[in-house]
Amino acid sequence: MENVSRDLVVPDRANPLRQLSLEQLRRRTSMKWRTYPNDVLPLWVAEMDVPLADPVAEAITDAVALGDTGYPAGTAYAEALAGFAIKRWGWDGVAVERTAIVPDVMLGIVEMLKLVSAPCDPVIVNSPVYPPFYQFVGNLDRPVVEAPLGPDLRIDFAVLADVFRRVAEGAARPVYLLCSPHNPTGTVHTAAELTRIAQLAREHGVRVVVDEIHAPIVASGASFVPFLSVPGAENGLSLISASKAWNLAGLKAALAIAGPEAAEDLARIPEEVSHGPSHLGIIAHTAALRDGGDWLDALLSGLDDNRRLLAALLAEHLPTIGYKPAQGTFLAWLDCRELGLSGDPAEVFLQRGRVALSSGSTFGTGGEGFVRLNLAASPEVITEAVLRMRTAVA
């Protein structure tokens, strides 16, 4: 890197985000570290700068030592999630018999949409939202209909109700694809909000499929509420994995969970879908959910610190950027519209500051003029990134 120590980290064994140097991270061959040149600080795609949690690493190592690299089988993953849900969320609603393994959350969403809708049936999303929602849904021949978030980055129920009403008038099997917690804003939906969603969906005949991949990642004082736990959500379908919380994107495995009234829908999932997840992935995700709680708690504490750090850095160096620390995810949604830039702020920060962020325009309506920053990095890297961003717009 230019003008920056290759270490750029103060080691701290208590914080997973401060255990790897930049030099170590740059030896990785994943998307985050291979998309841009070495002089760029990559704070874009949702990979974390952490080592594997010890229980996960041990489970993978043990499996490799046994040559246990065959086809996936059993219900250990679902059982581990059920235990995690009781411990973390006080929810005993993960019935193993109403789960199915799927390759990952987005491919699981595709399979759920196939079960409860047909080509040309609309899929409603709350923009700005995770860009693959548009890509995967569009490739499935379902039109995306936006119900934009309100100015407070929460669901605007007047807008949502109007969209539900309109799509229900012209479609046989409309679907609402909910992101919970919301990516990119980090909004954690409340029990009251989720209950209102379930009521509106029932009223208008809209099925709900929910992406809960960021569920374990909440800030101190915030509480995640599973959608299937609220009244009226019994016909919902949820997708979840340990991927984001334990940095396991390269170890493919996720779970689809059906509410009691959606069990027959989930039972129609093609058998070959269960061949998609990696057996090693299932082993890793199971170990994370079952034994990775202490590591997760250390990560969440580090993320709390990073949220406060980013807020302080922006207030000092880039006060015209709007930022409110989120209740969930390890992402920061930055409003750069007051910077007065003539182009995409992500492109400006990349070209002038050598910091890679996600462009808000890819997140749909409401995203233009914003950038998404990945907070799952060391405090030193985040500090350097903000200083570079200041230089880029000076």
Side-chain angles (χ1 to χ4, degrees), residues 29-119:
T29 59
S30 62
M31 182 184 292
K32 180 176 183 180
W33 296 100
R34 286 293 181 266
T35 298
Y36 296 100
N38 279 352
D39 66 326
V40 172
L41 281 179
L43 293 174
W44 62 295
V45 72
E47 296 179 24
M48 295 196 291
D49 295 351
V50 294
L52 277 180
D54 286 342
V56 176
E58 291 166 6
I60 296 170
T61 301
D62 290 346
V64 171
L66 286 172
D68 188 10
T69 53
Y71 297 107
T75 58
Y77 191 179
E79 291 165 6
L81 176 60
F84 184 87
I86 291 171
K87 183 176 181 179
R88 292 277 167 161
W89 309 321
W91 181 48
D92 63 358
V94 180
V96 172
E97 66 274 14
R98 294 200 308 271
T99 66
I101 56 172
V102 292
D104 59 30
V105 165
M106 279 311 306
L107 290 176
I109 286 171
V110 167
E111 295 300 331
M112 298 307 103
L113 293 177
K114 290 178 182 177
L115 293 175
V116 299
S117 69

Side-chain angles (χ1 to χ4, degrees), residues 60 71 73 113 204-205 219 233 249 255 299 307 328 335 345 347 353 376 382 384:
I60 296 170
Y71 297 107
L113 293 177
H204 295 284
L255 284 166
L299 171 73
R307 292 185 189 98
D335 184 351
E347 188 65 20
I382 291 171
E384 174 65 17

Side-chain angles (χ1 to χ4, degrees), residues 189-354:
H189 309 301
T190 67
E193 288 171 325
L194 295 172
T195 300
R196 181 61 177 145
I197 288 169
Q199 292 170 342
L200 282 173
R202 291 271 186 179
E203 179 181 343
H204 295 284
V206 176
R207 295 296 296 274
V208 180
V209 175
V210 55
D211 171 356
E212 296 182 322
I213 197 170
H214 286 277
I217 309 172
V218 292
S220 176
S223 298
F224 170 76
V225 179
F227 176 71
L228 297 182
S229 72
V230 303
E234 293 81 7
N235 68 345
L237 292 158
S238 168
L239 285 303
I240 196 167
S241 84
S243 171
K244 297 303 181 194
W246 284 271
N247 204 44
L248 303 175
L251 291 164
K252 293 288 188 179
L255 284 166
I257 311 167
E261 294 176 20
E264 291 185 4
D265 291 317
L266 189 60
R268 292 186 287 104
I269 193 169
E271 191 271 340
E272 61 267 21
V273 173
S274 66
H275 296 183
S278 158
H279 181 47
L280 283 179
I282 288 174
I283 289 171
H285 289 240
T286 301
L289 291 164
R290 186 184 58 217
D291 303 317
D294 289 345
W295 185 93
L296 176 63
D297 287 336
L299 171 73
L300 296 180
S301 178
L303 289 173
D304 280 341
D305 291 342
N306 281 1
R307 292 185 189 98
R308 289 189 289 267
L309 173 65
L310 180 63
L313 289 168
L314 291 175
E316 178 179 359
H317 299 290
L318 288 165
T320 55
I321 289 183
Y323 169 60
K324 180 180 180 180
Q327 292 182 312
T329 79
F330 51 79
L331 307 167
W333 188 234
L334 308 183
D335 184 351
C336 303
R337 291 174 294 180
E338 295 300 316
L339 290 175
L341 302 176
S342 59
D344 183 350
E347 188 65 20
V348 172
F349 292 133
L350 176 61
Q351 297 302 327
R352 300 181 190 171
R354 309 309 283 164

